[in-house]
Each structure stands twice: as C-alpha cells, then as structure tokens.
Amino acid sequence: MKLLKRAPLRTLAALALFALAMPQTALAIGTEAGTTISNTASVSYSLGAVSQRPVESSPSGNSVAGTGNGTATTFLVDNKVNLVTAELVAAATQAGPGQTNTVFAFNVSNTGNTVQDYTVVASNFAVGDTVNLGGLLTDDMDVTITAVAVDTSGDNAYGAGDTTTAGNSAVISNLSPSTAGTDSNITVFVLATVPISAVDGSVAVVGLNATTFDAGGGGITSSNAGDVWDTTTVQVVFADGAGSDDVALNGDYSARGAYVAAAALLTVTKSADVISDPFTTTGNPKAIPGAVIEYTVEINNSGTAAADSVILTDVLPATLGAPVTITGGTSSAYNSTTNTVTIDFGTIGAGAATATATIRAVIQ
Amino acid sequence: MKRITLMTLCSMVLLLSVPVTGFAQEKGHIELKSIAEIELETTDDKGERVWVRSPAEKAFPGDEIIFTTTYTNISEERADNVAITNPIPEQITYRADSAEGQGAVVTFSVDGGRTFDKPENLRVTGEDGRERPARPSEYTHIRWLLQGALPPGREGTVSFRGIIK
C-alpha cells in the first residue's frame, strides 16, 4: 500500500473547467453491477530513428511487442444496494368507519445499480406512534391490514389490474435500478379496514418496510468492510439510508403513512313549545288539554363526513293526538298504531350542517 | 478414409498445441504494466487525513478509479520517442486535469485516437452542429509523450483518474 496525500487542485481555473465538464446526462445513466471495465495502455517508441512495434500493457507487466499481446486490466462494477420507500402523497387517507379496502399508497425506488426483488411488509402501529404527513398525526385507533398490492398496471391507482396479495406482505419482482434509465420505482398499496367504532378524526398510523432480495428472490448480504476488493466478483454493499423504522446500511427502507377516520358526528336537539291553547287568545298560551304543542328537532352534523340516509324516529306520547303538521325533511310519515313519526332527512352535509323539523300535536 | 480423419485430428491437435509463445512473441524493449485502483480516505497515526491508494473498496457508479501505467525499458538500448497511449474505457468519464506523468507531455483525443492535441485545441461538433471546445468528459484517449530518451533500465509511471458512469 502506498500512502500519499491527495494532490490539491492546481488552480481555480482547473476547478472551473471541471465544473463545466460535468455533463448533466452522465449521472442519469449509471453502470450496472457486473459490468466489466477494461483498460489497456500501449507504448510506441523508436530506437534511434527506427520505429518499433508497439507494446501493450498487462496487469502484471507485458513486454511482448505487437498488437494483441497485452492483457486488459479489468474489474467488475459491484452491486450497490440502495432503495427508498416513501409515501406516494404526503397526506393521510380519509376513510369512513367500517370502510374496507381503504388504500394508503407507498412508493419503493431502486436507487442502486442492479435489478432487485423486494419484499414489502405492512404494519399497523401502536397508539401514541406518530407520522408527519403535512402535520403531525398521532395514532389512536387500529386498522386491520387485509392485503398488500403492487401497482403492476403502473397507474398509481389501486385497481383490478394490480397484483394483490392477501395478508400484510407482497413481493416486488425485478425492479430495475435507477442507473438503467428506465422506470426504477413502483407504487405499493396497503389495503385496510377501518373499525366501525372509529370516531371522527381518529388516526391509524401504518408503515411499509421494503427488504432487498436478489432478482429471483434469493437473500442478499453485504460484503464485510474487511473484505478486500475482488476485481473478479460482483460484491455487494448496502448503501441505503435509515427509513422511518429501520437503520441505515441494512438493505431495508421503511416509511409511515396514516388513515384518518372521516365520520359524521350528529347531535340531536329537541325542544317543546306551546303554540296556542283554546282559552288564551292573547299573551302566553299554556299546556292545557286542547293546546297545540310544537316539537322542534334539530340535527347538526359537526363531523368531517356527510351523513347519508338520516331518518328521525319520534314516538309521540300517548297523551298527544295524531300530529297536526309535520315540516322538514324530504318526506315524513305517521304510524297511528305505534304513535310514531318518521322524518327522512336524506343527506346532512359535513361541517356543521343543520337540518330542522317540527311536529305539531294537540294535548288530549 | 478413417486414416485420413485420424491424420486430420492429429494435425489439429498439433495446431492447438503450438504454444502461444510462438513466433509472434517477439520481445519488445519496453515492459508496460497497467493497474486500476481506488483511493480511500483514512487517518494516519498522527491524526492527519490521508488518502490510501489500494484495491480495498468496492467499485460503484460515481466512484473514482486511478489507472496507473508503469513503463520500464528492459532492453540494453535507449528508446526514443516513447509515447504511451491509453484509450479511456467507455464506462469511465475522464476527470479533468487528472492525467499525470513526470517528464511527459500529455495530449488527448476526441476522435477515437486518430488525432491528439492539448485540451485548449480540442474541438467537437455540438448537437447544434456548431464547433465548440471539447469537454474532458468527451476525451476518448490520452497520450503521454516522454520528453527525451528512455535509457536502459529506466522506469516511470503515468496515470489518470476517471469516474465510473
């Protein structure tokens, strides 16, 4: 081994020249692992004025004159394993309570220089775990992960054309490296069921960890740092960074995502008022037999999801007669056998929307 | 017929057994040795950062490789007009100003080794069809022309650096 200090760059001009010399396109295409890089130098010379046959180089030294008598000095480009897992969009997936096959999308990129397989495993995080998706979200519910799908259709949207594997893991096969200049990343969908008990704004943090495998599925291990460079074999080095839940240089990369429950949150308020009685013509009527009572029912949705098919059921007291008038809702009905009023409100929108109905009946 | 076949076979074996060190093995006057290395940054016993040149790392895109060619005059005669030519491997981008060689004039080629010149004189035709100065990344060959004769027994090195594409 020769010890030497790196020679400083001679002039600023040389530096400037170097900066100009770096072509933008050269970094986009890289050399794939397993590529042999060969180099042969040759020397021409003369003895006096007589030109001699050139001599080519060899790794150990060649002096046999003539083209083709040298041996190329070669080495193989090694396998730099590098990958990144990230959320496809930095936003939580909104899902209603009880919703199945709700999708959070991750993206796995092969940033190394070899075609690789990856096993991706999805997980549900514990209460208190956090993720930052345009704002900090703290886990306070659990989703059930039902399947993991690989975006084989390549449209970044989950659909029938994608390869779906039940359970919490899937395999990405033959993902090209970024150095090949082709598509080097693929989207992975985590499919989950939100619990029916989820309340509006509940957060479930989920994660996806990708582990590198040889193309074809074989396990892959990094060469030890102590291994000397072997110019004749493709050696493996893990060059990946630390993801959300894995350490650097382990061939894994993880990221977190989240589901946020978008539920309707209905508040029902009912008040009663006396509209008239048969004896008080001016002033304040009282609740005496023959008086008309008006019930006002207010339904307020303060949740983040619209409530559909909202039906109010109100059993009137037996001491009241059949309703005189019913207002509000899209339709209403009265069942005299059960003394029940039903009012169909249809959809009540999200964000403090209010629907009101009134029922008037006479005290018997 | 059988005999002829056998004869043919024999001559084939004979042909194959002609040693590669046959008549073509005329020994030249200069021995040329070429190696490829990688530099590693490390700290020496004095705590100073030094670069250790050794084949002890892996080779990846973006890594810098040092190609060193050692020339030795192994004859009893003086060699004149010694010129060492090294084509830059196609997966390697030449690093500007990295070609070194004591007592040698370094020139480059941008036309596959047909012509050589100093960097300031090298021109290529750009994508717009107009001539412009060549970039070091466009060099295809490097030539070191030794100034003065190479006496018997004298050894020297020339080198350059390149980045794996």
Side-chain angles (χ1 to χ4, degrees), chain A residues 17-81:
Chain A
L17 194 69
F18 180 53
L20 281 171
M22 289 302 286
Q24 280 75 29
T25 48
L27 294 173
I29 307 289
T31 306
E32 284 202 56
T35 305
T36 300
I37 296 184
S38 303
N39 185 45
T40 310
S42 66
V43 62
S44 65
Y45 62 100
S46 59
L47 299 178
V50 184
S51 207
Q52 303 293 306
R53 298 172 71 200
V55 176
E56 291 180 349
S57 68
S58 79
S60 55
N62 171 56
S63 59
V64 180
T67 305
N69 287 325
T71 310
T73 299
T74 64
F75 62 89
L76 284 171
V77 175
D78 292 313
N79 181 4
K80 176 181 178 177
V81 168

Side-chain angles (χ1 to χ4, degrees), chain B residues 18-37:
Chain B
V18 167
V20 192
T21 52
F23 57 95
Q25 296 296 95
E26 178 203 331
K27 208 146 181 142
H29 299 74
I30 296 176
E31 183 185 86
L32 215 54
K33 176 181 168 182
S34 184
I35 56 168
E37 292 171 308

Side-chain angles (χ1 to χ4, degrees), chain B residues 29-48:
Chain B
H29 299 74
I30 296 176
E31 183 185 86
L32 215 54
K33 176 181 168 182
S34 184
I35 56 168
E37 292 171 308
I38 290 177
E39 263 183 351
L40 278 182
E41 191 180 4
T42 185
T43 310
D44 67 8
D45 357 326
K46 291 174 199 150
E48 281 181 24

Side-chain angles (χ1 to χ4, degrees), chain A residues 78-99:
Chain A
D78 292 313
N79 181 4
K80 176 181 178 177
V81 168
N82 201 356
L83 73 159
V84 174
T85 306
E87 67 278 359
L88 187 65
V89 179
T93 297
Q94 303 267 326
Q99 191 175 328

Side-chain angles (χ1 to χ4, degrees), chain B:
Chain B
M1 286 303 247
K2 230 174 193 173
R3 187 168 298 168
I4 292 168
T5 315
L6 210 76
M7 287 278 286
T8 318
L9 236 157
C10 276
S11 60
M12 271 183 71
V13 169
L14 200 69
L15 250 172
L16 282 173
S17 62
V18 167
V20 192
T21 52
F23 57 95
Q25 296 296 95
E26 178 203 331
K27 208 146 181 142
H29 299 74
I30 296 176
E31 183 185 86
L32 215 54
K33 176 181 168 182
S34 184
I35 56 168
E37 292 171 308
I38 290 177
E39 263 183 351
L40 278 182
E41 191 180 4
T42 185
T43 310
D44 67 8
D45 357 326
K46 291 174 199 150
E48 281 181 24
R49 281 165 57 174
V50 292
W51 290 87
V52 178
R53 199 183 277 198
S54 82
E57 249 279 28
K58 318 297 180 274
F60 301 122
D63 284 355
E64 187 173 288
I65 304 288
I66 307 150
F67 295 94
T68 306
T69 298
T70 307
Y71 55 90
T72 314
N73 186 348
I74 55 169
S75 73
E76 304 293 325
E77 290 167 89
R78 195 188 71 178
D80 302 301
N81 303 319
V82 176
I84 294 153
T85 306
N86 197 332
I88 297 164
E90 61 171 314
Q91 306 88 350
I92 297 289
T93 303
Y94 172 68
R95 211 198 83 181
D97 294 317
S98 68
E100 290 176 5
Q102 209 179 6
V105 172
V106 185
T107 53
F108 301 90
S109 173
V110 289
D111 58 6
R114 281 199 296 280
T115 60
F116 285 83
D117 212 328
K118 296 249 175 199
E120 57 267 31
N121 299 331
L122 291 171
R123 299 186 75 76
V124 294
T125 306
E127 279 170 16
D128 56 0
R130 288 158 64 175
E131 271 207 357
R132 58 166 174 79
R135 303 181 180 113
S137 59
E138 292 166 333
Y139 298 172
T140 62
H141 290 67
I142 308 170
R143 173 168 289 173
W144 293 264
L145 182 63
L146 301 194
Q147 298 303 96
L150 187 65
R154 182 69 62 85
E155 177 186 299
T157 61
V158 295
S159 68
F160 74 98
R161 294 160 182 262
I163 315 280
I164 302 179
K165 289 179 190 168

Side-chain angles (χ1 to χ4, degrees), chain A residues 301-316:
Chain A
N301 181 8
S302 60
T304 52
D308 297 323
S309 309
V310 179
I311 295 173
L312 174 80
T313 305
D314 192 357
V315 180
L316 298 180

Side-chain angles (χ1 to χ4, degrees), chain A residues 93-282:
Chain A
T93 297
Q94 303 267 326
Q99 191 175 328
T100 59
N101 290 340
T102 177
V103 170
F104 190 89
F106 291 93
N107 194 270
V108 178
S109 302
N110 180 354
T111 53
N113 66 334
T114 310
V115 176
Q116 308 280 182
D117 281 4
Y118 300 93
T119 295
V120 287
V121 178
S123 56
N124 174 62
F125 278 83
V127 169
D129 285 329
T130 59
V131 63
N132 199 328
L133 294 169
L136 195 70
L137 297 169
T138 305
D139 184 294
D140 58 5
M141 72 165 173
D142 288 335
V143 289
T144 307
I145 293 164
T146 52
V148 178
V150 177
D151 185 28
T152 37
S153 65
D155 59 358
N156 286 346
Y158 178 63
D162 300 326
T163 310
T164 306
T165 310
N168 68 340
S169 71
V171 172
I172 300 168
S173 296
N174 295 319
L175 188 60
S176 298
S178 51
T179 52
T182 52
D183 227 4
S184 60
N185 67 84
I186 195 156
T187 297
V188 174
F189 306 106
V190 174
L191 277 65
T193 301
V194 176
I196 189 72
S197 59
V199 296
D200 192 47
S202 288
V203 173
V205 175
V206 293
L208 190 78
N209 183 68
T211 303
T212 308
F213 284 85
D214 275 330
I220 193 165
T221 48
S222 186
S223 298
N224 291 323
D227 290 352
V228 294
W229 184 31
D230 183 344
T231 56
T232 60
T233 59
V234 175
Q235 291 165 294
V236 177
V237 170
F238 289 162
D240 55 285
S244 62
D245 297 281
D246 72 289
V247 296
L249 311 181
N250 66 344
D252 283 24
Y253 206 102
S254 53
R256 290 184 182 188
Y259 296 94
V260 172
L265 190 58
L266 300 183
T267 310
V268 184
T269 313
K270 186 177 181 185
S271 57
D273 199 8
V274 181
I275 299 298
S276 65
D277 72 55
F279 306 102
T280 311
T281 51
T282 58

